[in-house]
Amino acid sequence: LNSRLPVARSAHGATVYSDKLWIFAGYDGNARLNDMWTVGLQDRELTCWEEIEQSGEIPPSCCNFPVAVCKDKMFVFSGQSGAKITNNLFQFEFKEKIWTRIPTEHLLRGSPPPPQRRYGHTMVAFDRHLYVFGGAADNTLPNELHCYDVDSQTWEVIQPSPDSEVKCSALAERPSALEQAPSLPSEECGLKKPQDVFGLDFSITTIKQPPTADPELPSGRLFHAAAVISDAMYIFGGTVDNNVRSGEMYRFQFSCYPKCTLHEDYGRLWENRQFSDLEFVLGEKEERVRGHTAIVTARCKWLKKKIIQARERLKQVSIFEQYRYEEVMLALASLGDGLLLEVPIREAEAQPFEVLMQFLYTDKIKYPRKGHVQDVLLIMDVYKLALNFKLSRLEQLCLQYIEASVDLQNVLIVCENANKLQLDQLKEHCLNFVVKESHFNQVIMMKEFEHLSSSLIVEIVRKKQQPPVRTHSDQPLDIGTSLIQDMKAYLEGAGTEFCDIILLLDGHPRPAHKAILAARSSYFEAMFRSFMPEDGQVNISIGEMVPSKQAFESMLRYIYYGEVNMPPEDSLYLFAAPYYYGFSNNRLQAYCKQNLEMNVTVENVLQILEAADKTQALDMKRHCLHIIVHQFTKV
């Protein structure tokens, strides 16, 4: 058919989506491009090229970059784009034809950064992750494997398992059952259950090299090829050091686990406010925001102090009114949503306080929308609260969000607000931004400049006259504690005085926190909503079975802060726990299963077979029977 054709090119990105080939950017011999074209692959009679009208934050013209499709979106990472080469990650939504740059400026210092800018690298998608390997990065050839989680928008460097091996075998040879990483049964890999991915082994398949004892990562390389087949990534060839072409092939085994839902589960508790037991009364307007003692006291010492003071006041009132304090507190605990402990906070208004609360429950805040000054001003109010409440992790997050959002349009408003709120570090950032050679003339011609307070204008003029002296602080940056660290400390004793439920294991009491149990387990949520035990005590079992004390502690670690590491005998008890307790997904069971498979011995195989039979874990049962048959006389 007659149709326009894309200009001839090389070093472009190409991928297949919805039975069409999509190509983006590349090099035409004279210039780098950033156009996009698509062509149908199904009906050859009707095949013709179509240029796509792109919108949004379109990546700069570039070449020698990879593209990958994940979750109905196409991703582009780095590449050669002249002086503008960056390590930006862009996503393209096929349905709306919109590009978005995924910001990384807000990544907390101390959390893994994105890979360096580079070209000639590969990027593949597996499940909900993108894997970036190799390429030339500022005259080096790095060989780390970077992984981007599309759901949580975070990067990490994958550490291959210590069991990695270098194998010498023909390409077509299939690894034996012992060499293969355990994978989940097919029903656990369905679309309904999102999964986490960890690299287990980087093995080399090549005829040329003799086998060696140590595990071996592929050396850094560029212009190699990468592909995902089934549950493994294969890397072939490339140019390695000294311009040598490689003929090696490496295989990287993925292993699937359902994702950790800790942050989402606590986030849901915040959203629906179920089982709230306190109410903050905020600012002059006395606006009210509900919360949960357990989460707030685990995460913020300043608010914990306020809650303790409110409890003391309640104690005084109950003594004065001849009530027993314990009865009042029991009423508070059992009524949950009905009777709330009032905690006055004069220093905060409702809107920024709600953002702060969302951070306490999820470790995240929403990134300000581009060009929305109101969003930036709100985050400034949150930053002020973070300083007052001594939440250094939130403080760093806010500071980075705001600094990344400052531009020519909003810098004066942000600067004035920082001056008003006495946020000196932020004000300094704005002043330095204004006096930059490339910004200064534009800023002083703006209408807003005329309305600045005279003291700020004087500061700007002086700063322009005396360029800042760069000071390097040797002070290590305090990035605060994470949700996981705080909940771990809370379970290990920091939360003892705020326990409001007793779990009985074989008659032995273990104090715990209702809101946390309900957030993480639909079994406890239903119990506390419908038939809360009158004496505040709950008997613990998993179906008919009472777990060991050690296994029960392993389960509490999973509930409070998502910990999945445990000895194999605990896994035996907890194998059925995800179903019985109604956890958000079967992550715990997947880990228990792998833990058992990796550690089945002649000594424990009969116990594990019995447990597998009881819980109808058929593939586990098969695994045990296989071992029994092969080690029959020993068993």
Side-chain angles (χ1 to χ4, degrees), residues 29-97:
N30 296 310
R32 296 185 183 93
L33 313 164
N34 70 344
D35 55 342
M36 184 186 285
W37 293 77
T38 185
V39 63
L41 300 175
Q42 289 290 67
D43 191 339
R44 290 200 173 181
E45 298 300 310
L46 298 171
T47 294
C48 66
W49 284 100
E50 176 195 349
E51 184 167 9
I52 299 298
E53 225 173 278
Q54 309 166 76
S55 61
E57 297 175 85
I58 303 170
S61 53
C62 59
C63 61
N64 291 322
F65 61 93
V67 302
V69 172
C70 184
K71 294 196 156 190
D72 293 319
K73 296 182 180 83
M74 179 170 87
F75 291 85
V76 166
F77 177 73
S78 202
Q80 278 178 307
S81 32
K84 291 182 291 189
I85 183 168
T86 66
N87 66 342
N88 280 327
L89 179 67
F90 290 89
Q91 72 176 29
F92 176 75
E93 299 196 40
F94 287 104
K95 291 180 177 67
E96 288 85 12
K97 314 275 192 294

Side-chain angles (χ1 to χ4, degrees), residues 104-397:
T104 52
E105 296 91 343
H106 65 282
L107 288 177
L108 199 61
R109 292 176 181 95
S111 64
Q116 289 165 269
R117 60 187 190 173
R118 60 191 62 205
Y119 67 91
H121 49 300
T122 53
M123 178 167 69
V124 298
F126 180 77
D127 192 63
R128 59 192 177 87
H129 291 82
L130 301 171
Y131 289 86
V132 172
F133 180 75
D138 295 328
N139 300 321
T140 64
L141 294 177
N143 75 333
E144 304 94 355
L145 179 64
H146 293 266
C147 172
Y148 177 76
D149 185 322
V150 172
D151 286 352
S152 66
Q153 298 200 334
T154 52
W155 286 97
E156 66 173 315
V157 175
I158 295 292
Q159 300 301 331
S161 143
D163 307 333
S164 294
E165 14 174 308
V166 178
K167 292 197 287 294
C168 174
S169 60
L171 186 57
E173 191 172 297
R174 185 165 173 76
S176 70
L178 290 172
E179 289 164 349
Q180 285 186 328
S183 57
L184 299 182
S186 55
E187 68 270 13
E188 289 175 9
C189 289
L191 290 173
K192 290 179 191 162
K193 295 171 183 164
Q195 302 191 325
D196 222 344
V197 183
F198 298 87
L200 282 188
D201 112 313
F202 238 126
S203 50
I204 179 169
T205 350
T206 174
I207 299 165
K208 289 203 295 196
Q209 295 193 346
T212 57
D214 298 326
E216 187 177 306
L217 280 164
S219 58
R221 58 197 59 218
L222 75 163
F223 301 135
H224 49 292
V228 173
I229 299 167
S230 184
D231 58 354
M233 173 173 72
Y234 292 82
I235 286 173
F236 177 73
T239 301
V240 292
D241 270 341
N242 304 321
N243 233 4
V244 175
R245 303 307 188 259
S246 161
E248 300 160 338
M249 177 173 277
Y250 290 83
R251 175 178 180 271
F252 180 77
Q253 173 69 54
F254 297 120
S255 192
C256 303
Y257 297 103
K259 68 186 242 186
C260 177
T261 60
L262 186 79
H263 298 75
E264 287 89 339
D265 290 345
Y266 287 144
R268 213 167 29 251
L269 185 69
W270 161 246
E271 290 298 329
N272 62 33
R273 316 290 159 100
Q274 204 175 16
F275 308 112
S276 299
D277 54 3
L278 53 84
E279 189 166 57
F280 293 102
V281 183
L282 304 161
E284 299 302 314
K285 297 180 192 165
E286 299 201 339
E287 292 175 278
R288 290 168 182 264
V289 171
R290 289 183 174 194
H292 302 83
T293 302
I295 306 284
V296 176
T297 54
R299 306 253 22 226
C300 180
K301 289 192 174 83
W302 194 92
L303 287 172
K304 176 180 171 180
K305 207 165 153 187
K306 291 281 186 186
I307 290 167
I308 290 169
Q309 286 168 0
R311 283 182 157 207
E312 289 301 318
R313 278 196 300 276
L314 189 66
K315 210 179 213 174
Q316 299 304 322
V317 169
S318 45
I319 289 167
F320 180 70
E321 293 181 1
Q322 314 264 302
Y323 291 119
R324 280 185 60 231
Y325 170 68
E326 283 73 17
E327 284 174 12
V328 177
M329 293 314 287
L330 194 64
L332 270 175
S334 60
L335 287 175
D337 286 349
L339 192 58
L340 302 165
L341 178 70
E342 283 196 0
V343 184
I345 308 283
R346 290 276 168 256
E347 298 86 342
E349 299 301 324
Q351 205 185 357
F353 187 78
E354 288 201 339
V355 176
L356 179 141
M357 286 287 280
Q358 187 182 35
F359 166 81
L360 296 183
Y361 285 71
T362 65
D363 252 1
K364 291 180 192 147
I365 55 177
K366 284 198 179 83
Y367 195 82
R369 293 167 297 171
K370 202 167 174 61
H372 286 69
V373 178
Q374 287 311 314
D375 282 19
V376 181
L377 298 182
L378 172 62
I379 302 291
M380 289 177 79
D381 288 336
V382 178
Y383 177 45
K384 182 76 175 170
L385 285 185
L387 289 167
N388 288 349
F389 293 3
K390 298 182 172 49
L391 287 167
S392 50
R393 192 179 183 86
L394 178 59
E395 190 187 313
Q396 292 301 326
L397 262 183

